[in-house]
Amino acid sequence: MVKEIIHYTSKTSYDSIQSHGFIELEAFNIESASITNPTDSPSYDPNITFEKLWNDLKKQMKHTGRYVWFTEEDTCSCISQLQSYEKIAIRFNPNDINAEKWVDVADRMMFKSNKAKKLIRVLNNNAIQNGDDISKWWVCRERVDINLAIT
């Protein structure tokens, strides 16, 4: 049984997590920016607005789900493909946060539609090509209380 899973984040996001007390669902910052600064662009892609990016992500997440992501590994390559930053590790017991193995969730999601199956396969293949082991990934369907972290 896995005793520890890790959520990786940036220093900026870590400070926000500490002040708000939660690790929010993926794309939370993009969602927020799409409301407060819809015509601005993320630093890693000046060719797209936050509003367009959020709309595209919502379409994808309709089929794939929206999660807080974790891994059993000591590194996570996939998230650093968009931005170059030092990652901070926040550790949890998977039972304490109702985490589920990604491969189990993905298998269930792929049965829902061909679109979900195609999207999840593309996302998984991208992660594998970038050096991640998706069999060691975990997800939570709701934001995670930082007070449940292992100290």
Side-chain angles (χ1 to χ4, degrees):
M1 182 59 158
V2 174
K3 295 182 180 180
E4 183 177 278
I5 56 176
I6 306 163
H7 175 81
Y8 288 100
T9 192
S10 68
K11 172 73 171 119
T12 304
S13 293
Y14 182 75
D15 291 343
S16 176
I17 290 166
Q18 289 290 82
S19 69
H20 291 104
F22 292 93
I23 302 173
E24 299 289 351
L25 294 172
E26 64 186 309
F28 174 81
N29 292 335
I30 294 168
E31 179 183 18
S32 298
S34 75
I35 295 165
T36 58
N37 302 304
T39 59
D40 285 355
S41 298
S43 59
Y44 55 86
D45 189 352
N47 299 315
I48 191 167
T49 66
F50 282 117
E51 183 175 51
K52 169 82 169 104
L53 182 56
W54 174 238
N55 285 332
D56 291 349
L57 286 170
K58 282 193 301 188
K59 289 175 189 172
Q60 173 188 307
M61 290 184 290
K62 176 182 176 186
H63 299 285
T64 60
R66 188 176 183 192
Y67 312 99
V68 177
W69 292 85
F70 304 85
T71 183
E72 298 170 29
E73 296 186 290
D74 292 330
T75 187
C76 182
S77 302
C78 203
I79 62 168
S80 61
Q81 294 304 307
L82 295 178
Q83 301 172 5
S84 177
Y85 56 81
E86 180 182 348
K87 293 183 270 301
I88 295 174
I90 308 171
R91 300 170 189 281
F92 294 88
N93 178 312
N95 295 323
D96 292 346
I97 58 173
N98 298 316
E100 301 175 75
K101 293 283 288 184
W102 166 244
V103 291
D104 297 337
V105 173
D107 284 347
R108 288 191 304 270
M109 295 298 291
M110 287 193 289
F111 277 107
K112 291 188 175 189
S113 72
N114 284 333
K115 181 79 169 176
K117 185 182 295 185
K118 288 177 188 175
L119 282 169
I120 290 170
R121 282 186 177 157
V122 166
L123 295 170
N124 284 348
N125 286 335
N126 181 52
I128 292 165
Q129 288 174 0
N130 283 298
D132 287 328
D133 182 349
I134 64 167
S135 72
K136 294 183 178 182
W137 282 5
W138 293 69
V139 295
C140 286
R141 296 173 189 268
E142 296 182 11
R143 67 185 191 167
V144 175
D145 186 335
I146 192 68
N147 292 318
L148 298 173
I150 299 170
T151 54

